[in-house]
Coordinates of all heavy atoms in Angstrom, one line a residue:
M25 N 51.3 136.6 -71.8 CA 51.2 137.9 -72.5 C 51.4 137.7 -74.0 O 51.0 138.5 -74.8 CB 52.2 138.8 -72.0 CG 52.1 140.2 -72.6 SD 53.1 141.3 -71.6 CE 52.5 142.9 -72.2
G26 N 51.9 136.5 -74.4 CA 52.1 136.3 -75.8 C 53.0 137.3 -76.4 O 54.0 137.7 -75.7
N27 N 52.8 137.7 -77.6 CA 53.6 138.7 -78.3 C 52.9 140.1 -78.3 O 52.7 140.7 -79.3 CB 54.0 138.3 -79.7 CG 55.0 137.1 -79.7 OD1 55.3 136.6 -78.6 ND2 55.3 136.7 -80.9
A28 N 52.3 140.5 -77.1 CA 51.4 141.6 -77.0 C 52.1 143.0 -77.4 O 51.5 143.9 -77.7 CB 50.8 141.7 -75.7
L29 N 53.5 143.0 -77.4 CA 54.2 144.2 -77.8 C 54.7 144.2 -79.2 O 54.9 145.3 -79.8 CB 55.4 144.4 -76.8 CG 55.1 144.5 -75.4 CD1 56.4 144.6 -74.6 CD2 54.2 145.8 -75.1
A30 N 54.7 143.0 -79.8 CA 55.2 142.9 -81.2 C 54.4 143.7 -82.1 O 53.1 143.6 -82.1 CB 55.3 141.4 -81.5
G31 N 55.0 144.5 -83.0 CA 54.3 145.2 -84.0 C 53.7 146.5 -83.5 O 53.3 147.3 -84.3
R32 N 53.7 146.8 -82.2 CA 53.2 148.1 -81.7 C 54.2 149.2 -81.8 O 55.4 149.0 -81.6 CB 52.8 147.9 -80.2 CG 51.6 147.0 -80.1 CD 51.1 147.0 -78.7 NE 50.1 146.0 -78.5 CZ 48.9 146.3 -78.0 NH1 48.5 147.5 -77.6 NH2 48.0 145.3 -77.9
T33 N 53.7 150.3 -82.1 CA 54.6 151.5 -82.2 C 53.9 152.7 -81.6 O 52.7 152.6 -81.3 CB 55.0 151.8 -83.7 OG1 53.8 152.1 -84.4 CG2 55.8 150.7 -84.3
G34 N 54.6 153.8 -81.4 CA 53.9 155.1 -81.0 C 53.1 155.0 -79.7 O 53.6 154.3 -78.8
D35 N 52.0 155.6 -79.7 CA 51.1 155.6 -78.5 C 50.6 154.2 -78.1 O 50.5 154.0 -76.9 CB 49.9 156.5 -78.7 CG 50.3 158.0 -78.8 OD1 51.4 158.3 -78.4 OD2 49.5 158.8 -79.3
A36 N 50.4 153.3 -79.1 CA 50.0 152.0 -78.7 C 51.1 151.3 -77.9 O 50.8 150.5 -77.0 CB 49.6 151.2 -80.0
L37 N 52.3 151.5 -78.3 CA 53.4 150.8 -77.6 C 53.5 151.4 -76.2 O 53.7 150.7 -75.2 CB 54.7 150.9 -78.3 CG 56.0 150.3 -77.7 CD1 55.8 148.8 -77.5 CD2 57.2 150.6 -78.6
V38 N 53.5 152.8 -76.1 CA 53.5 153.4 -74.8 C 52.4 152.9 -73.9 O 52.7 152.6 -72.7 CB 53.4 155.0 -74.9 CG1 53.3 155.6 -73.6 CG2 54.6 155.5 -75.6
A39 N 51.2 152.8 -74.3 CA 50.1 152.3 -73.5 C 50.3 150.9 -73.1 O 50.1 150.5 -71.9 CB 48.8 152.5 -74.3
A40 N 50.7 150.0 -74.0 CA 51.0 148.6 -73.6 C 52.1 148.5 -72.6 O 52.1 147.7 -71.7 CB 51.3 147.8 -74.9
L41 N 53.2 149.3 -72.8 CA 54.3 149.2 -71.9 C 53.9 149.7 -70.5 O 54.3 149.3 -69.5 CB 55.5 150.0 -72.4 CG 56.4 149.3 -73.4 CD1 57.4 150.3 -74.0 CD2 57.1 148.1 -72.7
R42 N 53.1 150.8 -70.5 CA 52.6 151.3 -69.2 C 51.9 150.3 -68.4 O 52.2 150.0 -67.2 CB 51.7 152.5 -69.4 CG 51.2 153.1 -68.1 CD 50.1 154.2 -68.4 NE 49.6 154.7 -67.1 CZ 48.6 154.1 -66.5 NH1 48.1 153.0 -67.0 NH2 48.2 154.5 -65.3
E43 N 51.0 149.5 -69.1 CA 50.3 148.4 -68.4 C 51.3 147.3 -67.9 O 51.2 146.8 -66.8 CB 49.2 147.8 -69.3 CG 48.1 148.8 -69.6 CD 47.5 149.4 -68.3 OE1 47.1 148.6 -67.4 OE2 47.2 150.6 -68.2
L44 N 52.2 147.0 -68.7 CA 53.2 146.0 -68.4 C 54.1 146.5 -67.2 O 54.2 145.7 -66.2 CB 54.1 145.7 -69.6 CG 55.2 144.6 -69.4 CD1 55.4 143.9 -70.7 CD2 56.5 145.2 -69.0
V45 N 54.5 147.7 -67.2 CA 55.3 148.2 -66.1 C 54.6 148.3 -64.8 O 55.1 148.0 -63.8 CB 56.0 149.6 -66.5 CG1 56.6 150.3 -65.3 CG2 57.0 149.4 -67.7
L46 N 53.3 148.8 -64.9 CA 52.5 148.9 -63.7 C 52.4 147.5 -63.0 O 52.3 147.5 -61.8 CB 51.1 149.4 -64.0 CG 51.0 150.9 -64.2 CD1 49.6 151.3 -64.7 CD2 51.2 151.6 -62.9
R47 N 52.4 146.4 -63.7 CA 52.3 145.1 -63.0 C 53.5 144.8 -62.2 O 53.5 143.9 -61.4 CB 52.1 144.0 -64.1 CG 50.7 144.0 -64.6 CD 50.4 142.8 -65.5 NE 51.1 143.0 -66.8 CZ 50.4 143.1 -67.9 NH1 49.2 143.1 -68.0 NH2 51.1 143.3 -69.1
Q48 N 54.7 145.5 -62.5 CA 55.9 145.3 -61.7 C 56.1 146.3 -60.6 O 57.0 146.1 -59.8 CB 57.1 145.5 -62.7 CG 57.0 144.7 -63.9 CD 56.8 143.2 -63.7 OE1 57.4 142.6 -62.8 NE2 56.1 142.5 -64.6
L49 N 55.2 147.3 -60.5 CA 55.3 148.4 -59.5 C 54.4 148.2 -58.4 O 53.4 147.6 -58.5 CB 55.2 149.7 -60.2 CG 56.1 150.1 -61.3 CD1 55.8 151.5 -61.9 CD2 57.5 150.2 -60.7
P50 N 54.7 148.9 -57.2 CA 53.7 148.9 -56.1 C 52.4 149.5 -56.6 O 52.3 150.3 -57.5 CB 54.4 149.8 -55.1 CG 55.8 149.9 -55.5 CD 55.8 149.7 -57.0
A51 N 51.3 149.1 -55.9 CA 50.0 149.5 -56.3 C 49.8 151.0 -56.3 O 49.0 151.7 -56.9 CB 48.9 148.9 -55.4
T52 N 50.7 151.7 -55.5 CA 50.6 153.2 -55.4 C 51.1 153.9 -56.6 O 50.9 155.1 -56.7 CB 51.5 153.6 -54.2 OG1 52.8 153.2 -54.4 CG2 51.0 153.2 -52.8
A53 N 51.6 153.2 -57.6 CA 52.1 153.8 -58.8 C 51.0 153.8 -59.9 O 51.3 154.1 -61.1 CB 53.3 153.0 -59.3
A54 N 49.7 153.6 -59.6 CA 48.6 153.5 -60.5 C 48.5 154.7 -61.4 O 48.0 154.6 -62.5 CB 47.3 153.1 -59.8
D55 N 48.9 155.9 -60.9 CA 48.8 157.1 -61.6 C 50.0 157.4 -62.5 O 50.2 158.5 -62.9 CB 48.5 158.2 -60.7 CG 49.6 158.5 -59.7 OD1 50.5 157.7 -59.5 OD2 49.6 159.6 -59.1
L56 N 50.8 156.3 -62.8 CA 52.0 156.5 -63.6 C 51.7 157.1 -64.9 O 50.8 156.6 -65.7 CB 52.6 155.1 -63.7 CG 53.9 155.0 -64.5 CD1 55.1 155.5 -63.6 CD2 54.2 153.6 -64.9
G57 N 52.4 158.1 -65.3 CA 52.2 158.8 -66.6 C 53.4 158.3 -67.5 O 54.4 157.8 -67.0
P58 N 53.3 158.6 -68.8 CA 54.4 158.2 -69.7 C 55.7 158.8 -69.4 O 56.7 158.2 -69.7 CB 53.9 158.6 -71.1 CG 52.5 159.1 -70.9 CD 52.2 159.2 -69.4
D59 N 55.8 159.9 -68.8 CA 57.0 160.6 -68.5 C 57.4 160.6 -67.0 O 58.4 161.1 -66.6 CB 57.0 162.1 -68.9 CG 56.8 162.1 -70.5 OD1 57.6 161.5 -71.2 OD2 55.9 162.8 -70.9
S60 N 56.6 159.9 -66.1 CA 56.9 159.7 -64.7 C 58.2 159.0 -64.5 O 58.4 158.0 -65.2 CB 55.8 159.0 -64.0 OG 54.5 159.6 -64.1
P61 N 59.1 159.4 -63.6 CA 60.3 158.7 -63.4 C 60.0 157.3 -62.8 O 59.3 157.3 -61.7 CB 61.0 159.6 -62.3 CG 60.4 160.9 -62.5 CD 59.0 160.7 -62.9
L62 N 60.4 156.3 -63.4 CA 60.1 154.9 -62.9 C 60.8 154.6 -61.6 O 60.2 153.9 -60.8 CB 60.5 153.9 -64.0 CG 59.7 153.9 -65.3 CD1 60.2 152.9 -66.3 CD2 58.2 153.8 -65.0
G63 N 62.0 155.2 -61.3 CA 62.7 155.0 -60.0 C 61.8 155.5 -58.9 O 61.7 154.9 -57.9
E64 N 61.2 156.7 -59.1 CA 60.4 157.3 -58.1 C 59.1 156.6 -57.9 O 58.5 156.6 -56.9 CB 60.1 158.8 -58.5 CG 61.3 159.7 -58.3 CD 61.0 161.1 -58.8 OE1 59.8 161.5 -58.8 OE2 62.0 161.8 -59.0
A65 N 58.7 155.9 -58.9 CA 57.4 155.0 -58.9 C 57.6 153.7 -58.2 O 56.7 152.9 -58.0 CB 56.8 154.9 -60.3
G66 N 58.9 153.4 -57.9 CA 59.2 152.1 -57.2 C 59.9 151.1 -58.1 O 60.0 149.9 -57.6
L67 N 60.4 151.4 -59.2 CA 61.1 150.5 -60.1 C 62.5 150.3 -59.5 O 63.4 151.1 -59.7 CB 61.2 150.9 -61.5 CG 61.7 149.9 -62.5 CD1 60.7 148.7 -62.6 CD2 62.0 150.5 -63.8
T68 N 62.7 149.2 -58.8 CA 64.0 148.8 -58.2 C 64.8 148.0 -59.2 O 64.3 147.6 -60.2 CB 63.8 148.0 -56.9 OG1 63.1 146.8 -57.3 CG2 63.0 148.7 -55.8
S69 N 66.0 147.6 -58.8 CA 66.8 146.8 -59.7 C 66.1 145.4 -59.9 O 66.1 144.9 -61.1 CB 68.2 146.6 -59.2 OG 68.2 146.0 -57.9
L70 N 65.6 144.9 -58.9 CA 64.9 143.6 -59.1 C 63.6 143.7 -59.9 O 63.3 142.9 -60.8 CB 64.5 143.0 -57.7 CG 63.9 141.6 -57.7 CD1 64.8 140.6 -58.3 CD2 63.5 141.2 -56.2
R71 N 62.9 144.8 -59.8 CA 61.7 145.0 -60.6 C 62.1 145.3 -62.0 O 61.3 145.1 -63.0 CB 60.9 146.1 -60.0 CG 60.2 145.7 -58.7 CD 59.3 146.8 -58.1 NE 58.6 146.3 -57.0 CZ 58.3 147.0 -55.9 NH1 58.7 148.3 -55.8 NH2 57.6 146.5 -54.9
T72 N 63.2 146.0 -62.2 CA 63.7 146.2 -63.5 C 64.0 144.9 -64.3 O 63.6 144.8 -65.5 CB 65.0 147.1 -63.5 OG1 64.7 148.3 -62.9 CG2 65.6 147.3 -64.9
V73 N 64.6 144.0 -63.6 CA 64.8 142.7 -64.3 C 63.5 142.0 -64.6 O 63.4 141.4 -65.7 CB 65.7 141.8 -63.3 CG1 65.8 140.4 -63.9 CG2 67.1 142.4 -63.2
A74 N 62.6 142.0 -63.7 CA 61.2 141.4 -63.9 C 60.6 142.1 -65.1 O 59.9 141.5 -66.0 CB 60.3 141.5 -62.7
T75 N 60.7 143.5 -65.2 CA 60.1 144.2 -66.3 C 60.8 143.8 -67.6 O 60.1 143.6 -68.6 CB 60.3 145.7 -66.0 OG1 59.6 146.0 -64.8 CG2 59.7 146.6 -67.1
L76 N 62.1 143.7 -67.6 CA 62.8 143.3 -68.8 C 62.4 141.9 -69.3 O 62.1 141.7 -70.5 CB 64.3 143.3 -68.5 CG 65.2 142.8 -69.6 CD1 65.1 143.6 -70.9 CD2 66.7 142.7 -69.2
V77 N 62.2 141.0 -68.4 CA 61.8 139.6 -68.8 C 60.3 139.7 -69.4 O 60.1 139.1 -70.3 CB 61.8 138.7 -67.5 CG1 61.1 137.4 -67.8 CG2 63.3 138.4 -67.1
A78 N 59.5 140.5 -68.7 CA 58.1 140.7 -69.2 C 58.1 141.3 -70.6 O 57.3 140.9 -71.5 CB 57.2 141.4 -68.3
I79 N 59.0 142.3 -70.8 CA 59.1 143.0 -72.1 C 59.5 142.0 -73.2 O 58.9 141.9 -74.3 CB 60.0 144.2 -72.0 CG1 59.3 145.3 -71.3 CG2 60.4 144.7 -73.5 CD1 60.3 146.5 -70.9
E80 N 60.5 141.2 -72.9 CA 61.1 140.3 -73.9 C 60.0 139.2 -74.2 O 59.9 138.8 -75.3 CB 62.4 139.7 -73.4 CG 63.5 140.7 -73.4 CD 64.8 140.1 -73.0 OE1 64.9 139.1 -72.3 OE2 65.9 140.7 -73.4
A81 N 59.3 138.8 -73.2 CA 58.2 137.8 -73.4 C 57.1 138.5 -74.3 O 56.6 137.9 -75.2 CB 57.6 137.3 -72.1
G82 N 56.8 139.7 -74.0 CA 55.8 140.5 -74.8 C 56.2 140.7 -76.3 O 55.4 140.9 -77.1
L83 N 57.5 140.8 -76.5 CA 58.0 141.0 -77.8 C 58.3 139.7 -78.6 O 58.3 139.7 -79.8 CB 59.4 141.8 -77.8 CG 59.3 143.2 -77.4 CD1 60.8 143.7 -77.1 CD2 58.7 144.0 -78.5
G84 N 58.5 138.6 -77.8 CA 58.9 137.4 -78.4 C 60.3 137.4 -78.9 O 60.6 136.8 -79.9
A85 N 61.1 138.4 -78.4 CA 62.4 138.6 -78.8 C 63.3 139.2 -77.6 O 62.7 139.8 -76.7 CB 62.5 139.5 -80.0
E86 N 64.6 138.9 -77.7 CA 65.4 139.5 -76.7 C 65.8 140.9 -77.1 O 66.0 141.2 -78.2 CB 66.7 138.7 -76.5 CG 66.5 137.4 -75.8 CD 67.8 136.6 -75.6 OE1 68.9 137.3 -75.5 OE2 67.7 135.4 -75.4
L87 N 66.0 141.8 -76.1 CA 66.4 143.1 -76.3 C 68.0 143.1 -76.5 O 68.6 142.4 -75.8 CB 66.1 144.1 -75.2 CG 64.6 144.4 -75.0 CD1 64.4 145.4 -73.8 CD2 64.1 145.1 -76.3
P88 N 68.5 143.9 -77.4 CA 70.0 144.0 -77.5 C 70.6 144.5 -76.3 O 70.0 145.4 -75.6 CB 70.2 144.9 -78.7 CG 68.9 145.1 -79.4 CD 67.8 144.7 -78.4
P89 N 71.7 144.1 -75.9 CA 72.3 144.5 -74.6 C 72.5 146.0 -74.5 O 72.4 146.6 -73.4 CB 73.7 143.8 -74.6 CG 73.5 142.6 -75.5 CD 72.5 143.0 -76.5
E90 N 72.7 146.7 -75.7 CA 73.0 148.1 -75.6 C 71.7 148.9 -75.2 O 71.8 150.1 -74.9 CB 73.5 148.6 -76.9 CG 72.7 148.4 -78.1 CD 72.8 147.1 -78.8 OE1 73.5 146.2 -78.3 OE2 72.4 147.0 -80.0
L91 N 70.5 148.3 -75.2 CA 69.3 148.9 -74.8 C 69.0 148.8 -73.3 O 68.2 149.4 -72.8 CB 68.1 148.4 -75.6 CG 68.0 148.7 -77.1 CD1 66.8 148.1 -77.7 CD2 68.1 150.2 -77.3
I92 N 69.8 147.9 -72.7 CA 69.5 147.6 -71.2 C 70.4 148.6 -70.4 O 71.4 148.2 -70.0 CB 69.8 146.1 -70.9 CG1 68.9 145.3 -71.9 CG2 69.4 145.8 -69.5 CD1 69.2 143.8 -71.8
T93 N 69.9 149.8 -70.3 CA 70.6 150.8 -69.6 C 69.7 151.6 -68.6 O 68.5 151.5 -68.8 CB 71.2 151.9 -70.5 OG1 70.2 152.6 -71.1 CG2 72.1 151.2 -71.6
P94 N 70.2 152.3 -67.7 CA 69.4 153.1 -66.8 C 68.6 154.2 -67.5 O 67.4 154.4 -67.2 CB 70.4 153.7 -65.8 CG 71.5 152.8 -65.8 CD 71.6 152.2 -67.2
D95 N 69.2 154.7 -68.6 CA 68.4 155.7 -69.4 C 67.2 155.1 -70.1 O 66.2 155.8 -70.2 CB 69.4 156.3 -70.5 CG 70.4 157.3 -69.9 OD1 70.1 157.8 -68.8 OD2 71.4 157.6 -70.5
T96 N 67.3 153.9 -70.5 CA 66.2 153.2 -71.2 C 65.0 153.1 -70.2 O 63.9 153.3 -70.6 CB 66.6 151.8 -71.7 OG1 67.6 152.0 -72.7 CG2 65.4 151.1 -72.3
F97 N 65.4 152.8 -68.9 CA 64.3 152.6 -67.9 C 64.0 153.8 -67.1 O 63.5 153.7 -66.0 CB 64.8 151.4 -67.1 CG 64.7 150.0 -67.7 CD1 65.7 149.6 -68.5 CD2 63.5 149.3 -67.6 CE1 65.6 148.4 -69.2 CE2 63.4 148.1 -68.3 CZ 64.5 147.6 -69.1
R98 N 64.3 155.0 -67.7 CA 63.9 156.2 -66.9 C 62.5 156.5 -66.8 O 62.0 156.9 -65.8 CB 64.6 157.4 -67.6 CG 64.4 158.7 -66.9 CD 65.2 159.9 -67.5 NE 66.6 159.6 -67.6 CZ 67.3 159.8 -68.7 NH1 66.7 160.4 -69.7 NH2 68.6 159.5 -68.7
S99 N 61.7 156.2 -67.9 CA 60.2 156.4 -67.9 C 59.6 155.4 -68.9 O 60.3 154.8 -69.7 CB 59.9 157.8 -68.3 OG 60.2 158.1 -69.7
V100 N 58.4 155.4 -68.9 CA 57.7 154.5 -69.9 C 58.0 155.0 -71.3 O 58.2 154.3 -72.3 CB 56.2 154.4 -69.7 CG1 55.4 153.8 -70.8 CG2 55.9 153.8 -68.3
R101 N 58.0 156.3 -71.5 CA 58.2 156.9 -72.8 C 59.7 156.6 -73.3 O 59.9 156.3 -74.5 CB 58.0 158.4 -72.8 CG 58.0 159.0 -74.2 CD 57.6 160.5 -74.4 NE 56.5 160.9 -73.6 CZ 55.2 160.7 -74.0 NH1 54.9 160.2 -75.1 NH2 54.2 161.2 -73.2
T102 N 60.7 156.7 -72.4 CA 62.1 156.4 -72.8 C 62.2 154.9 -73.1 O 62.9 154.5 -74.0 CB 63.1 156.8 -71.8 OG1 62.9 156.1 -70.6 CG2 63.1 158.3 -71.6
L103 N 61.5 154.1 -72.4 CA 61.5 152.6 -72.7 C 60.8 152.4 -74.0 O 61.4 151.6 -74.8 CB 60.7 152.0 -71.5 CG 60.7 150.5 -71.4 CD1 62.1 149.9 -71.4 CD2 60.0 150.0 -70.2
A104 N 59.7 153.0 -74.3 CA 59.1 152.8 -75.6 C 59.9 153.2 -76.8 O 60.1 152.6 -77.8 CB 57.7 153.5 -75.6
A105 N 60.6 154.4 -76.6 CA 61.4 154.9 -77.6 C 62.6 153.9 -77.9 O 63.0 153.7 -79.1 CB 62.0 156.3 -77.3
A106 N 63.2 153.4 -76.9 CA 64.3 152.4 -77.0 C 63.9 151.1 -77.7 O 64.6 150.6 -78.5 CB 64.9 152.2 -75.6
I107 N 62.7 150.6 -77.3 CA 62.4 149.3 -77.9 C 61.5 149.3 -79.1 O 61.3 148.3 -79.7 CB 61.7 148.4 -76.8 CG1 60.3 148.8 -76.4 CG2 62.6 148.3 -75.5 CD1 59.5 147.8 -75.7
E108 N 61.1 150.5 -79.5 CA 60.1 150.6 -80.7 C 60.7 149.9 -81.9 O 60.0 149.2 -82.6 CB 59.8 152.0 -80.9 CG 58.7 152.2 -82.0 CD 58.1 153.5 -82.1 OE1 58.8 154.5 -81.8 OE2 57.0 153.6 -82.5
P109 N 62.0 150.1 -82.2 CA 62.5 149.4 -83.4 C 62.5 147.8 -83.3 O 62.2 147.1 -84.2 CB 64.0 149.8 -83.5 CG 64.0 151.1 -82.8 CD 63.0 151.0 -81.7
V110 N 62.7 147.3 -82.1 CA 62.6 145.9 -81.8 C 61.2 145.4 -81.9 O 60.9 144.4 -82.5 CB 63.2 145.5 -80.4 CG1 63.1 144.1 -80.1 CG2 64.6 146.0 -80.3
A111 N 60.2 146.2 -81.3 CA 58.8 145.9 -81.4 C 58.3 145.9 -82.9 O 57.6 145.0 -83.3 CB 58.0 146.8 -80.6
A112 N 58.7 146.9 -83.6 CA 58.3 147.0 -85.0 C 58.8 145.8 -85.8 O 58.1 145.3 -86.7 CB 58.7 148.3 -85.6
A113 N 60.1 145.4 -85.6 CA 60.7 144.3 -86.3 C 60.1 143.0 -85.9 O 60.2 142.0 -86.7 CB 62.2 144.4 -86.1
A114 N 59.5 142.9 -84.7 CA 59.0 141.7 -84.2 C 57.7 141.3 -85.0 O 57.2 140.2 -84.8 CB 58.7 141.7 -82.7
G115 N 57.2 142.2 -85.8 CA 56.0 141.8 -86.6 C 54.7 142.3 -85.9 O 54.7 142.9 -84.8
P116 N 53.6 142.0 -86.6 CA 52.3 142.4 -86.0 C 51.9 141.7 -84.7 O 52.3 140.6 -84.5 CB 51.3 142.0 -87.1 CG 52.0 141.1 -88.0 CD 53.5 141.3 -87.8
A117 N 51.3 142.5 -83.9 CA 50.9 141.9 -82.6 C 49.8 140.9 -82.8 O 48.9 141.1 -83.6 CB 50.3 143.0 -81.7
R118 N 50.0 139.7 -82.2 CA 49.0 138.7 -82.3 C 48.0 138.7 -81.2 O 46.8 138.4 -81.4 CB 49.7 137.3 -82.4 CG 50.6 137.2 -83.6 CD 51.3 135.8 -83.6 NE 52.4 135.9 -84.5 CZ 53.7 136.1 -84.1 NH1 53.9 136.3 -82.9 NH2 54.6 136.1 -85.0
D119 N 48.4 138.9 -80.0 CA 47.6 138.9 -78.8 C 47.4 140.3 -78.3 O 48.2 140.7 -77.4 CB 48.2 138.0 -77.7 CG 48.5 136.6 -78.2 OD1 47.7 136.1 -79.0 OD2 49.5 136.0 -77.8
R120 N 46.4 141.0 -78.7 CA 46.2 142.4 -78.2 C 45.7 142.3 -76.7 O 44.9 141.5 -76.4 CB 45.2 143.1 -79.1 CG 45.6 143.3 -80.5 CD 46.6 144.4 -80.6 NE 47.1 144.5 -82.0 CZ 48.0 145.4 -82.4 NH1 48.5 146.1 -81.6 NH2 48.3 145.4 -83.6
V121 N 46.3 143.2 -76.0 CA 45.9 143.3 -74.5 C 44.8 144.4 -74.4 O 44.7 145.3 -75.1 CB 47.1 143.8 -73.7 CG1 46.7 143.9 -72.2 CG2 48.2 142.8 -73.8

């Protein structure tokens, strides 16, 4: 995935995160919206860890521990809001998805 999240903000970050999260969820979650509860879509604790690893790889940076909370992983939109400062600071995206 390279640094596909680095430098993204706003709707571009939400869209990129949605695609990343969908890869961690059961196929039945394909209609996942930005505000859909991720737990209801199948995001288990194990899938949350896999999602976190994918996000950090996509950013090329580790998330601060204070961002790794259940509230952060409530929906794609809450996830985007939490990591947007990290994504913006990571610089321009090099590998667009």
Side-chain angles (χ1 to χ4, degrees):
M25 182 169 199
N27 291 0
L29 299 176
R32 292 187 187 235
T33 59
D35 290 342
L37 180 59
V38 170
L41 278 171
R42 180 185 175 278
E43 293 304 313
L44 183 146
V45 170
L46 278 173
R47 287 189 283 250
Q48 308 304 325
L49 297 176
T52 56
D55 62 346
L56 182 74
D59 297 307
S60 299
L62 293 177
E64 291 177 18
L67 191 70
T68 62
S69 58
L70 185 58
R71 288 180 175 144
T72 298
V73 171
T75 301
L76 175 61
V77 169
I79 288 169
E80 290 181 338
L83 289 171
E86 289 186 24
L87 291 180
E90 61 270 14
L91 292 182
I92 305 170
T93 69
D95 284 341
T96 296
F97 287 85
R98 183 176 305 134
S99 71
V100 171
R101 192 174 313 277
T102 59
L103 189 53
I107 72 163
E108 188 168 27
V110 179
R118 293 180 201 97
D119 303 324
R120 297 284 179 180
V121 179

